[in-house]
């Protein structure tokens, strides 16, 4: 993947990684996340399990990020925007320019790339160095057909990876 090992964290599937992000970066009952619907159902499930308010912003008619609507929903308690690209269930990738606009906000931007191996769009891993607030997650469950071994990976700045490592169970 061309990413230094101190910027990689492996998890029991990427679902575990997404859950760890919820546990580490949000104050339950107070802070909120923004998701772009329709999207991967686990984002909402994980927010509910972790008592994080989930603001659902409807995508545009062509299933792209509605950047203005996302910005309108950001408040003092918004910690992160979750993006799935290519998106489950719509199958399309998010425009680079709109993702870049969200990366400029003072928020964590989590890009779930579970389907990146099926896509002709470049992975955001290529631009990891440029953004301290970017988290990319990938999985062995889809293109590799290895859902049963439960292996996912997340890639981010070392400060983010170090925080996630503090809560990860040692032997799972
Ligand atoms: C399947 C899927 C995952 C999670 O897969 P794991 O088996 O937990 O790695 C994450 N995000 C999306 C969008 C998926 O479709």
């Amino acid at each position: 993947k061309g990413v230094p090992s101190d910027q990689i964290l492996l998890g029991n599937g990427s679902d575990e990684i997404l859950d760890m992000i919820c546990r580490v970066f949000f104050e339950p009952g107070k802070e909120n996340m923004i998701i772009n619907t329709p999207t991967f159902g686990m984002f909402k499930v994980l927010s509910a399990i972790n008592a994080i308010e989930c603001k659902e912003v409807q995508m545009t008619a062509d299933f792209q990020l509605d950047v203005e609507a996302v910005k309108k929903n950001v408040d003092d308690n918004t910690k992160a925007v979750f993006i799935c690209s290519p998106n489950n269930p719509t199958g399309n990738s998010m425009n680079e320019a709109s993702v870049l606009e969200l990366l400029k906000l003072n928020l964590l931007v989590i890009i779930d790339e579970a389907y990146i191996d099926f896509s002709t769009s470049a992975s955001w891993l290529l631009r990891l160095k440029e953004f301290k607030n970017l988290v990319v997650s990938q999985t062995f469950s889809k293109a590799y057909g290895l859902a049963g071994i439960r292996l996912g990976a997340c890639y981010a700045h070392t400060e983010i990876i170090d925080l996630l490592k503090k809560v990860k169970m040692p032997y799972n």
Side-chain angles (χ1 to χ4, degrees):
K1 298 288 177 179
V3 178
S5 58
D6 60 358
Q7 287 188 259
I8 303 176
L9 177 73
L10 301 179
N12 269 198
S14 48
D15 277 359
E16 185 197 30
I17 287 166
L18 299 170
D19 182 59
M20 279 196 291
I21 291 167
C22 289
R23 286 162 55 204
V24 168
F25 291 106
F26 294 84
E27 194 171 324
K30 184 179 172 207
E31 293 176 329
N32 66 70
M33 66 168 68
I34 294 175
I35 67 171
N36 301 278
T37 53
T39 194
F40 183 45
M42 279 303 284
F43 297 156
K44 207 174 168 186
V45 171
L46 292 171
S47 71
I49 290 171
N50 290 289
I52 299 164
E53 184 195 343
C54 182
K55 297 192 183 195
E56 293 183 61
V57 173
Q58 205 62 40
M59 285 179 168
T60 61
D62 55 349
F63 300 127
Q64 285 296 326
L65 300 168
D66 188 339
V67 175
E68 288 315 307
V70 171
K71 284 185 183 167
K72 272 192 200 123
N73 274 276
V74 173
D75 62 30
D76 292 345
N77 289 318
T78 306
K79 268 294 177 68
V81 182
F82 283 74
I83 295 168
C84 187
S85 184
N87 188 38
N88 173 358
T90 59
N92 61 298
S93 296
M94 299 302 122
N95 290 334
E96 188 181 358
S98 34
V99 175
L100 283 173
E101 276 206 60
L102 297 184
L103 279 163
K104 279 190 228 147
L105 304 174
N106 189 24
L107 300 169
L108 271 184
V109 175
I110 296 113
I111 306 183
D112 183 336
E113 292 190 344
Y115 299 96
I116 192 66
D117 305 288
F118 300 99
S119 175
T120 50
S121 308
S123 166
W124 281 88
L125 281 187
L126 297 176
R127 306 197 57 176
L128 197 62
K129 275 200 235 55
E130 294 169 55
F131 306 101
K132 266 186 100 169
N133 59 334
L134 170 63
V135 181
V136 177
S137 77
Q138 296 182 351
T139 178
F140 284 77
S141 296
K142 305 288 159 63
Y144 294 87
L146 294 171
I149 67 168
R150 309 303 307 134
L151 185 59
C154 102
Y155 308 87
H157 191 275
T158 48
E159 280 177 37
I160 293 176
I161 297 295
D162 289 347
L163 287 169
L164 292 172
K165 278 186 185 160
K166 285 187 183 173
V167 302
K168 180 157 168 59
M169 296 293 173
Y171 306 121
N172 60 353

